[in-house]
Amino acid sequence: MPKPAAAVPETVGQAVIPLVNSLQDIIARLDGDAAAGLELPQVAAIGGQSSGKSSVLEALVGRDFLPRGPDICTRRPLVLQLVRHASPEEWGEFLHAPGRQFHDFEQIKREIQLETDKEAGDNKGVSEKQIRLKIFSPNVLDITLVDLPGITRVPVGDQPSDIESRIRAMIMQYIKHPSCIILAVSPANADLANSDALQLARLADPDGSRTIGVITKLDIMDRGTDARNFLLGNVIPLKFGYVGVVNRSQEDINFNRSVQDALAFEEKFFSTLPAYHGLAHCCGVPQLAKKLNMILLKHITNMLPGLKTRINAQLVAVAKEHAAYGDTVESAAGQGVQLLNILRKYCEAFSSMVEGKNRVSTDKLSGGARIHYIFQSIFVKSLEQEIDPCKSITDEDICTTIQNSGGPKGAMFLPEVPFEILVRKQIGRLLDPSLQCAQFIYDELIKISHGCLISELQKFPVLKKRMSEVVCSFLRDGLRPAETMITHIIEMEMDYINTSHPSFVGGTKVVELAKHEVLPPKTSASLSGRKDGTMVGSEIQKTAERSQKSRAVFARDATRRATSEQASMEAETSLTGGSQIGNSQVGGNSSSKLPSIIPLKEPPITLKPSETEQDATEVAIVKLLIKSYYDIVRKSIEDAIPKAVMHFLVNHTKRDLHNFLIRKLYRENLLNELMRETDEVLIRRQCIQEMLEILKQAHRTLEEFPFEADKIEKGYSLTEHATGLSKIHGVSGDSTNGIYTSSPNC
């Protein structure tokens, strides 16, 4: 005959919850931050003080093992893992006492009390630190529960004044996670609408999709009342519904009435009270155990695939961090190899960042892109937009320079000297921005060096400091020849003014441009068309033709010179003639007076040049020549300076930094000092190692989980024990009157 369909799922069901229990033991070894995001499926029991939580847990185990008293009993979260096994023996194991089995449940109670007092004190204090207890028994179903402290409003003993808010916050830390099933315990002799447990559950689970309601103390409700409407969900509906239970009274506890006797009384209570007829599926601790088991089993099935993904992701992250820390190296040879690897990786990372091959950022420019931005968007644009070659030269300065260059005679043609003097002065202004550009690139390389191998160098503070010093020294040494080369480039441009450059605008063209700038269009045209003896137009044309691609020559005003010469001749004639007349007069009439002497004004200390229309034209020509040649030099500088900086600074660093670091740092007498790790790094490496082992163990445990949902959904086979718990001697499991029987559908 084929096996019943429920036989296979029983094995699967018995394996799933213990699997999660194993994961809980494993993950419990992680600290709070490392365990974040790895919350496991579990059931958290919450309720007010004296709501009967502890009695429910003891009834599920079938043994009396929890501390009791009139005041708050649960003062530390108790993670209770129930493990069903075939052996008739029952025992408990604490995570804080590995390898030790507690077969005496009174001893388990004392151990819980001792551990509670150790953390929370012996005067009603409360602690968030867990106690983890695993109970092995043939009379339980595989369930994991967390017994949380009961909500209390009035502080007692050593409890702080805000004990209520602290306990509520502690409870919320557990039940806020979607992986947590909430077991909301409320006493039947209180108003269910004001239940502390249901109020907290609603905050964490607004739609009630993961909350199970437990109504305790049904046997002490006011006479004539019952909890039928509550159990049917007619008052406050919950997805998983409610289960009603009958607790042991304080008198039962005082007289050591066993849990087994209490379960027998509970079953008799529900079977004899007409109000609960037809509600066998939601009455009694056995039904609660079965429901919890089935719900937890289904919940685990839904949660584990996502949990496996999160554990794998964290395993990868921790393994990566562990690889970054590496193993501790103590030998000199090992330290040398480690240092060489760090230096090589550092230089590779530096080159990659400069070349844009290392973790390209999407939100800002970095590395070599910033260098390009400095060259093109700062240096070049500043030269093109912000430097006017004639901005710092006035027309008076140009005119003075022209006249000074003519000496005592004055110049017949526009001399080259004023143009060269003035253009050299403007070329010299390019030196400062060029040197500043090199300094900007130096600063960027310093920033890039600080961003290389941050995590690896963090372990070796001495090495990090020395490397920073060596790299800064190397970059400073590279900056000096770059600055020298930049200075030479500017000086070369200043030393030789190449007016034969094909792009230089001179000769006729510059004359025409100057005339158009100075004179109105009609006047300029009429002057250029004149062919009389004034020399202006003809002389300009002859001079322009002689210097098409050479220096600009311009005939000075002949009229001005002719007028000056005529005045000189007249003055000379008058003086000569006057002398002759005077002599004759003296010979003829000695009594006549001599003519009066004409006095001259002394020249002022500071002489300013005269200003004529011809001077304005010459100034315009010089300005045009300066602008033309300056543009040629500027374009050359825009191209040459980035090349010089790249050659002497950037590419030099990429080529030679590695060898320089080895020469400066790879020395046997420095290895111990450079490769010494901080205490924080040693501690962190140990923690990472332990965390990696824990996550590997959790990963291996999850690999054993059967993810065949069709096998798991059916859960336990309850054909052997209809309630999921063992038979209670003296009480029939299925009533002869058919009033109290387990529903086969639940």
Side-chain angles (χ1 to χ4, degrees):
M1 291 182 63
K3 294 182 71 174
V8 173
E10 180 176 5
T11 304
V12 176
Q14 288 176 342
V16 171
I17 295 178
L19 177 85
V20 175
N21 292 344
S22 300
L23 283 175
Q24 284 182 331
D25 292 341
I26 294 168
I27 294 177
R29 291 152 51 195
L30 296 173
D31 57 31
D33 294 335
L38 301 181
E39 294 80 15
L40 294 171
Q42 59 187 3
V43 178
I46 65 173
Q49 185 176 325
S50 303
S51 61
K53 285 191 298 84
S54 298
S55 295
V56 172
L57 298 183
E58 287 183 334
L60 290 171
V61 176
R63 301 296 292 267
D64 186 354
F65 67 98
L66 294 175
R68 292 305 190 93
D71 297 317
I72 183 171
C73 302
T74 305
R75 297 189 289 127
R76 285 179 62 182
L78 174 66
V79 180
L80 179 63
Q81 299 175 350
L82 306 183
V83 181
R84 186 181 188 186
H85 69 119
S87 173
E89 290 186 276
E90 294 180 303
W91 72 89
E93 296 177 359
F94 288 94
L95 189 64
H96 64 263
R100 184 180 174 190
Q101 294 183 351
F102 295 80
H103 292 270
D104 184 356
F105 279 77
E106 284 295 325
Q107 192 176 3
I108 292 177
K109 183 186 297 185
R110 288 193 296 271
E111 185 68 19
I112 293 174
Q113 189 66 53
L114 287 173
E115 283 297 308
T116 300
D117 293 344
K118 183 186 298 183
E119 288 293 330
D122 57 0
N123 194 17
K124 311 303 179 186
V126 177
S127 171
E128 296 183 358
K129 192 172 182 180
Q130 293 179 345
I131 298 175
R132 304 186 70 85
L133 171 62
K134 187 178 294 185
I135 292 180
F136 299 84
S137 172
N139 302 320
V140 297
L141 292 182
D142 294 309
I143 304 173
T144 300
L145 304 105
V146 183
D147 184 19
L148 294 167
I151 302 167
T152 181
R153 290 181 170 79
V154 181
V156 295
D158 292 334
Q159 295 175 354
S161 59
D162 59 344
I163 184 64
E164 180 182 1
S165 61
R166 289 193 182 190
I167 292 178
R168 286 179 179 271
M170 184 193 306
I171 292 172
M172 287 299 295
Q173 288 298 318
Y174 283 84
I175 66 175
K176 69 180 181 180
H177 300 293
S179 59
C180 181
I181 298 295
I182 305 172
L183 189 68
V185 181
S186 307
N189 59 345
D191 185 5
L192 194 65
N194 296 323
S195 166
D196 291 325
L198 289 176
Q199 288 178 358
L200 277 174
R202 183 168 293 179
L203 290 175
D205 180 30
D207 58 355
S209 60
R210 52 187 179 89
T211 302
I212 306 172
V214 178
I215 303 177
T216 62
K217 304 182 180 182
L218 294 176
D219 56 324
I220 60 173
M221 293 183 69
D222 292 338
R223 184 172 297 179
T225 61
D226 59 67
R228 184 180 183 88
N229 281 333
F230 294 116
L231 295 176
L232 291 174
N234 295 332
V235 181
I236 300 177
L238 295 174
K239 177 183 177 181
F240 293 133
Y242 293 83
V243 176
V245 299
V246 175
N247 299 78
R248 287 189 302 165
S249 64
Q250 189 61 43
E251 182 181 6
D252 295 335
I253 296 171
N254 293 339
F255 285 100
N256 295 323
R257 185 183 181 189
S258 69
V259 176
Q260 294 293 333
D261 292 340
L263 289 173
F265 171 78
E266 179 190 58
E267 187 166 356
K268 185 176 180 180
F269 172 82
F270 286 120
S271 64
T272 57
L273 201 63
Y276 301 107
H277 288 181
L279 301 180
H281 64 282
C282 59
C283 291
V285 171
Q287 292 297 330
L288 176 61
K290 182 173 67 174
K291 176 173 282 195
L292 284 176
N293 174 263
M294 298 295 293
I295 292 173
L296 185 60
L297 184 64
K298 183 72 177 289
H299 193 59
I300 290 172
T301 305
N302 295 333
M303 297 294 297
L304 278 187
L307 177 65
K308 184 176 182 180
T309 301
R310 293 194 298 274
I311 287 179
N312 288 342
Q314 191 156 345
L315 180 61
V316 171
V318 172
K320 185 177 180 180
E321 185 176 0
H322 180 265
Y325 276 95
D327 298 325
T328 304
V329 179
E330 297 181 356
S331 66
Q335 289 177 338
V337 172
Q338 190 176 26
L339 176 59
L340 289 176
N341 286 334
I342 290 176
L343 298 182
R344 175 182 56 80
K345 290 180 180 179
Y346 180 89
C347 294
E348 289 175 353
F350 185 93
S351 297
S352 296
M353 292 183 71
V354 171
E355 295 168 3
K357 298 179 180 178
N358 185 28
R359 294 195 308 273
V360 178
S361 175
T362 58
D363 58 344
K364 62 181 180 180
L365 294 181
S366 62
R370 290 181 62 88
I371 294 176
H372 180 267
Y373 182 88
I374 291 171
F375 284 148
Q376 301 302 320
S377 299
I378 295 179
F379 177 66
V380 172
K381 283 191 176 180
S382 296
L383 297 189
E384 291 177 350
Q385 299 174 0
E386 298 183 12
I387 298 182
D388 182 0
C390 296
K391 184 177 182 181
S392 61
I393 308 174
T394 65
D395 292 355
E396 187 176 337
D397 294 336
I398 297 175
C399 190
T400 302
T401 307
I402 292 173
Q403 294 192 20
N404 284 338
S405 64
K409 294 181 180 180
M412 292 182 65
F413 306 104
L414 182 63
E416 290 186 32
V417 174
F419 160 69
E420 293 186 355
I421 291 174
L422 295 173
V423 82
R424 283 193 180 97
K425 182 178 179 181
Q426 300 312 305
I427 293 173
R429 296 178 60 203
L430 296 174
L431 179 61
D432 286 340
S434 300
L435 294 176
Q436 194 175 9
C437 175
Q439 183 64 42
F440 284 168
I441 302 302
Y442 168 82
D443 295 339
E444 286 300 320
L445 294 179
I446 292 292
K447 292 178 184 177
I448 292 174
S449 69
H450 291 163
C452 296
L453 294 188
I454 295 176
S455 59
E456 292 192 31
L457 289 177
Q458 203 68 33
K459 300 184 298 179
F460 309 105
V462 177
L463 176 61
K464 181 180 179 181
K465 181 180 178 182
R466 287 297 308 276
M467 283 186 66
S468 178
E469 294 172 353
V470 171
V471 172
C472 289
S473 173
F474 180 85
L475 291 175
R476 281 195 301 271
D477 292 342
L479 179 62
R480 293 190 192 100
E483 291 177 335
T484 302
M485 185 63 188
I486 289 171
T487 305
H488 288 166
I489 290 173
I490 302 298
E491 290 175 348
M492 286 161 51
E493 295 289 352
M494 294 171 63
D495 282 349
Y496 179 61
I497 307 301
N498 181 20
T499 56
S500 298
H501 194 281
S503 299
F504 181 63
V505 179
T508 306
K509 187 173 183 181
V510 73
V511 173
E512 293 297 330
L513 292 173
K515 284 166 34 177
H516 282 292
E517 284 189 10
V518 174
L519 301 176
K522 292 183 179 180
T523 306
S524 176
S526 62
L527 287 175
S528 62
R530 287 175 60 183
K531 295 186 179 180
D532 54 12
T534 58
M535 291 182 61
V536 177
S538 60
E539 193 64 32
I540 290 175
Q541 293 298 329
K542 292 177 182 179
T543 304
E545 290 172 2
R546 288 197 301 269
S547 57
Q548 286 292 330
K549 291 187 178 182
S550 177
R551 55 195 177 184
V553 182
F554 190 82
R556 298 180 67 84
D557 192 348
T559 305
R560 184 171 62 185
R561 290 198 302 274
T563 303
S564 178
E565 290 173 0
Q566 182 179 356
S568 299
M569 290 175 64
E570 289 177 356
E572 183 178 352
T573 304
S574 64
L575 288 174
T576 306
S579 175
Q580 293 174 353
I581 293 170
N583 291 334
S584 63
Q585 288 178 350
V586 169
N589 187 7
S590 60
S591 63
S592 62
K593 295 182 179 179
L594 293 172
S596 61
I597 299 174
I598 300 174
L600 297 179
K601 294 181 180 180
E602 293 185 3
I605 298 174
T606 303
L607 284 174
K608 297 294 183 179
S610 59
E611 295 182 3
T612 64
E613 184 178 300
Q614 182 63 33
D615 293 330
T617 304
E618 292 174 354
V619 168
I621 291 175
V622 172
K623 280 187 175 182
L624 290 173
L625 295 175
I626 291 174
K627 289 181 180 179
S628 174
Y629 194 78
Y630 177 83
D631 285 341
I632 295 171
V633 175
R634 175 181 55 78
K635 292 176 182 178
S636 175
I637 296 299
E638 289 173 359
D639 181 64
I641 298 305
K643 289 180 178 179
V645 174
M646 287 298 296
H647 175 74
F648 287 99
L649 188 57
V650 180
N651 291 335
H652 167 66
T653 303
K654 291 165 55 180
R655 287 189 299 264
D656 300 334
L657 178 60
H658 187 208
N659 292 334
F660 188 79
L661 287 171
I662 292 176
R663 288 199 306 271
K664 292 292 184 180
L665 299 177
Y666 186 67
R667 299 177 182 178
E668 189 174 355
N669 60 331
L670 296 177
L671 286 178
N672 285 332
E673 180 185 5
L674 295 178
M675 306 308 293
R676 184 170 61 247
E677 297 178 332
T678 62
D679 293 339
E680 291 79 4
V681 170
L682 296 174
I683 294 172
R684 181 60 180 169
R685 178 188 284 111
Q686 182 65 29
C687 292
I688 290 295
Q689 179 66 39
E690 294 175 358
M691 192 185 306
L692 184 62
E693 292 301 322
I694 291 171
L695 291 173
K696 284 182 178 179
Q697 189 176 353
H699 177 76
R700 288 193 297 268
T701 303
L702 277 174
E703 290 296 324
E704 301 171 2
F705 176 69
F707 282 96
E708 294 85 354
D710 59 331
K711 295 182 180 179
I712 297 169
E713 285 179 354
K714 300 177 183 178
Y716 267 95
S717 170
L718 303 175
T719 54
E720 181 182 359
H721 304 304
T723 62
L725 299 180
S726 60
K727 297 284 187 177
I728 301 173
H729 299 291
V731 180
S732 174
D734 51 349
S735 304
T736 55
N737 57 11
I739 296 174
Y740 186 75
T741 57
S742 297
S743 172
N745 297 325
C746 301

